[in-house]
């Protein structure tokens, strides 16, 4: 049984994880808006995309400011996208879940890093059909850190293969398979509408952090979700065979699912 002081420390850190996640989500909104538009994510400070007025610090409180302002800019009353508080809440909740699942371990750091990287990947790919190289490089830097820590200290980590080089196999095999798949779809459809190189590249950090088994499982699950959804959209005639749907969001959903279920999901099949 856990003693009371431990429970309250864990509760305190859980609240802290949630609040920090909300604030990081607020920064991710800036990334989602600016990275594909090639604007610096540091400067200028947050401004309304419509009237370009600088947003006051007190109007930048995650979720709460959106509710107080009723989803409108304080100056020009232009509506603010509901995606802003949604991204903040998703980030806050996933940070909280990661802490509740992994507690005071290295997995929490690795999980939170990967989740935080993948949220802008999903939203940017959904709108712009690209996965920016900046995010891939950020992922590779963090992924290398996780890989080195794993290789040196072998923490009990969710990728659960004890081999130090398992993450390297994961990185090469998952992105390699997707690269071959991208080449095949390119030659069949003769356009870029199929698999993009961004999808191939984002599996480099995913493989590095999840390791071989989980990265391949994540690839498999993303194909399944994409397949089922495309079939439904085709049946509903919301989609024709020529229309391109971004694959990135499926990779993100599958990978986040895998982070929380781990290899357990594998046993279902
Ligand atoms: Zn405005």
């Amino acid at each position: 049984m856990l003693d009371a002081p431990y429970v309250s420390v864990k509760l305190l850190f859980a609240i802290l994880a949630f609040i920090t996640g909300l604030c990081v989500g607020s920064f991710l909104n800036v990334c989602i808006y600016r990275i594909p538009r090639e604007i610096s994510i540091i400067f200028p400070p947050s401004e309304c995309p419509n009237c370009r007025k600088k947003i006051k610090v007190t109007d930048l409180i995650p979720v709460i400011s959106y509710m107080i302002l009723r989803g409108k800019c304080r100056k020009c009353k232009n509506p603010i996208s509901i995606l802003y508080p949604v991204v903040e809440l998703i980030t806050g909740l996933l940070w909280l879940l990661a802490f509740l699942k992994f507690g005071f371990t290295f997995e929490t750091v690795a999980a939170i890093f990967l989740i935080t990287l993948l949220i802008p990947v999903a939203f940017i790919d959904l709108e712009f059909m690209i996965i920016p190289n900046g995010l891939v490089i950020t992922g590779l830097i963090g992924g290398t850190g996780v890989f080195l820590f794993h290789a040196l200290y072998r923490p009990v980590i969710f990728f659960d293969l004890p081999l130090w080089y398992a993450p390297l196999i994961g990185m090469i095999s998952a992105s390699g398979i997707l690269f071959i798949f991208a080449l095949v779809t390119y030659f069949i459809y003769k356009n870029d509408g199929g698999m993009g190189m961004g999808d191939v590249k984002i599996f480099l950090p995913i493989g590095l952090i999840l390791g071989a088994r989980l990265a391949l499982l994540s690839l498999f699950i993303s194909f399944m979700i994409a397949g089922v959804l495309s079939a439904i959209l085709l049946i509903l005639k919301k989609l024709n065979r020529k229309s391109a749907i971004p694959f990135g969001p499926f990779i993100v959903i599958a990978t986040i699912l895998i982070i929380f279920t781990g290899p357990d999901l594998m046993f279902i099949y």
Side-chain angles (χ1 to χ4, degrees), residues 2-256:
L2 295 168
D3 50 309
Y6 178 77
V7 172
S8 51
V9 167
K10 186 148 191 195
L11 180 69
L12 191 73
F13 272 85
I15 296 167
L16 201 67
F18 180 62
I19 294 172
T20 313
L22 285 178
C23 297
V24 170
S26 180
F27 173 68
L28 291 183
N29 278 321
V30 175
C31 297
I32 292 166
Y33 183 82
R34 293 190 183 183
I35 293 174
R37 292 176 176 85
E38 295 181 340
I39 310 168
S40 160
I41 53 171
I42 318 275
F43 190 83
S46 292
E47 55 182 30
C48 166
N50 184 51
C51 67
R52 302 266 158 221
K53 284 275 181 351
K54 193 169 162 258
I55 301 169
K56 286 196 299 182
V57 177
T58 48
D59 284 343
L60 285 172
I61 306 160
V63 185
I64 295 169
S65 289
Y66 184 87
M67 293 196 296
I68 291 173
L69 295 169
R70 292 170 197 277
K72 290 188 190 89
C73 167
R74 187 182 286 279
K75 306 268 166 45
C76 69
K77 305 287 174 212
N78 201 57
I80 305 163
S81 166
I82 184 75
L83 282 181
Y84 284 82
V86 166
V87 166
E88 287 160 355
L89 270 180
I90 289 175
T91 314
L93 287 173
L94 289 175
W95 275 53
L96 173 66
L97 281 177
F99 176 73
L100 291 179
K101 170 135 176 106
F102 301 111
F104 298 101
T105 65
F106 185 67
E107 276 107 326
T108 304
V109 179
I112 280 180
F113 173 77
L114 191 54
I115 288 165
T116 307
L117 175 80
L118 291 179
I119 291 169
V121 167
F123 284 95
I124 292 174
D125 199 21
L126 202 59
E127 190 180 353
F128 292 88
M129 306 276 286
I130 52 158
I131 297 175
N133 281 332
L135 291 174
V136 175
I137 293 163
T138 309
L140 279 174
I141 294 167
T144 305
V146 174
F147 166 70
L148 289 177
F149 192 88
H150 176 250
L152 290 170
Y153 300 105
R154 307 287 168 83
V156 186
I157 203 152
F158 46 71
F159 33 76
D160 88 330
L161 273 183
L163 306 166
W164 70 269
Y165 52 84
L168 293 180
I169 299 176
M171 181 173 96
I172 296 162
S173 57
S175 53
I177 290 171
L178 206 51
F179 179 67
I180 294 165
F181 187 83
L183 279 185
V184 172
T185 49
Y186 182 79
F187 282 115
I188 293 174
Y189 296 105
K190 303 263 180 228
N191 65 23
D192 299 327
M195 200 63 60
M197 279 303 125
D199 302 314
V200 174
K201 283 184 276 186
I202 202 62
F203 259 105
L204 296 171
I206 293 174
L208 211 45
I209 294 172
L210 287 186
R213 288 205 304 172
L214 294 191
L216 289 173
L217 186 62
S218 165
L219 182 62
F220 176 67
I221 305 276
S222 38
F223 269 120
M224 285 220 334
I225 305 173
V228 170
L229 193 87
S230 308
I232 293 171
L233 290 176
L234 275 172
I235 292 165
L236 295 175
K237 302 211 189 305
K238 298 271 182 215
L239 198 74
N240 63 54
R241 285 178 183 282
K242 288 257 182 270
S243 38
I245 43 171
F247 190 57
F250 301 115
I251 298 174
V252 173
I253 292 168
T255 304
I256 291 176

